[in-house]
Structures are given as C-alpha cells and as structure tokens.
C-alpha cells in the first residue's frame, strides 16, 4: 500500500488488526459454486446486496506474489465484513465469476476507514 504518512497502516496485517478492533473480522467468500457467502451464514449474496466501503491495495516490494487487495463491505442488513484476495497471476478466486461479481458491487467510499 503506497503511503508517505508513517502513522498510516501499510501492511495487510495492520489493516486487518485495525478492522478487528472495530468488530470487522468476518469475510465474504465465493465458494466453489460461485456463490458469495458471509462467513458462518447460508445467505447467497448478489452484487447489489453489498456496498464496497473501502479498498486497500498492498504490493510486495520484492515479490509480486505479495500483491493483495482487501475490500471492506457492508450488506443490506448492515453487516460489515471483508474480502481478501491476492491479485495478479495468483488470485484466490480462479475464473471470471469473482472478478465480474466484484465489478458489479456498488462502491461508496467511506472516510471512516481511512487509516
């Protein structure tokens, strides 16, 4: 994550720790049937049932395998969670379904998660 301010979060683990302090520790994950689910839930989400509140990108200095993106999301019931994905040649989600799903989620950037 590019950053010139030394007080801001710069690693995936730092951001995840800060989110956990705010009660955000559950993940939205796409299963093998290309269904997006909230951790410990049976609900299948459609992109319009989620909003991306913040996107964090992390790039490894020496290894392209260290590239990752973390999305903070909210569902229509107000549940907050995240999606974590490595990007580049080694995505956590093979195929185009995940990418299309993400592109279809509305984005409403929130300053609440600027840390």
């Amino acid at each position: 994550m590019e950053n010139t301010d030394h007080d801001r979060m710069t690693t995936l683990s730092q951001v995840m720790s800060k989110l956990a302090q705010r009660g955000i520790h559950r993940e939205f994950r796409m299963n093998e049937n290309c269904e997006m689910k909230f951790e410990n839930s049976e609900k299948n989400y459609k992109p319009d049932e989620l909003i991306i509140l913040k996107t964090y990108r992390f790039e490894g200095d020496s290894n392209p395998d260290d590239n990752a993106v973390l999305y903070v999301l909210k569902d229509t019931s107000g549940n907050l969670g995240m999606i974590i994905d490595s990007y580049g040649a080694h995505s956590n989600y093979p195929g185009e379904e995940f990418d299309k799903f993400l592109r279809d989620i509305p984005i409403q950037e929130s300053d609440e998660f600027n840390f």
Side-chain angles (χ1 to χ4, degrees):
M1 191 161 116
E2 290 184 22
N3 220 325
T4 56
D5 183 349
H6 295 292
D7 294 333
R8 297 190 63 185
M9 303 290 109
T10 58
T11 68
L12 178 61
S13 61
Q14 287 175 315
V15 170
M16 289 181 67
S17 176
K18 189 73 167 178
L19 291 173
Q21 290 172 8
R22 293 182 180 204
I24 303 169
H25 49 82
R26 293 172 61 192
E27 288 186 56
F28 291 92
R29 294 182 188 205
M30 184 169 278
N31 65 21
E32 62 278 351
N33 297 322
C34 298
E35 300 166 330
M36 185 63 75
K37 302 232 184 221
F38 194 41
E39 194 173 315
N40 300 324
S41 169
E42 290 303 313
K43 177 167 176 45
N44 290 333
Y45 286 92
K46 296 181 177 121
D48 64 353
E49 295 175 305
L50 299 168
I51 296 172
I52 294 175
L53 300 174
K54 186 70 179 175
T55 302
Y56 300 93
R57 294 192 189 283
F58 305 93
E59 297 181 5
D61 291 331
S62 60
N63 186 347
D65 288 341
D66 292 338
N67 295 341
V69 62
L70 182 147
Y71 303 92
V72 177
L73 297 102
K74 179 170 69 172
D75 71 11
T76 53
S77 298
N79 295 308
L80 293 169
M82 62 186 133
I83 293 175
I84 303 166
D85 185 32
S86 58
Y87 64 93
H90 301 289
S91 173
N92 293 358
Y93 301 97
E96 295 183 23
E97 293 86 358
F98 177 76
D99 293 338
K100 180 181 179 342
F101 191 96
L102 274 181
R103 283 192 302 270
D104 291 344
I105 299 174
I107 298 171
Q108 188 177 41
E109 285 284 323
S110 171
D111 290 339
E112 177 183 355
F113 300 103
N114 288 342
F115 38 77

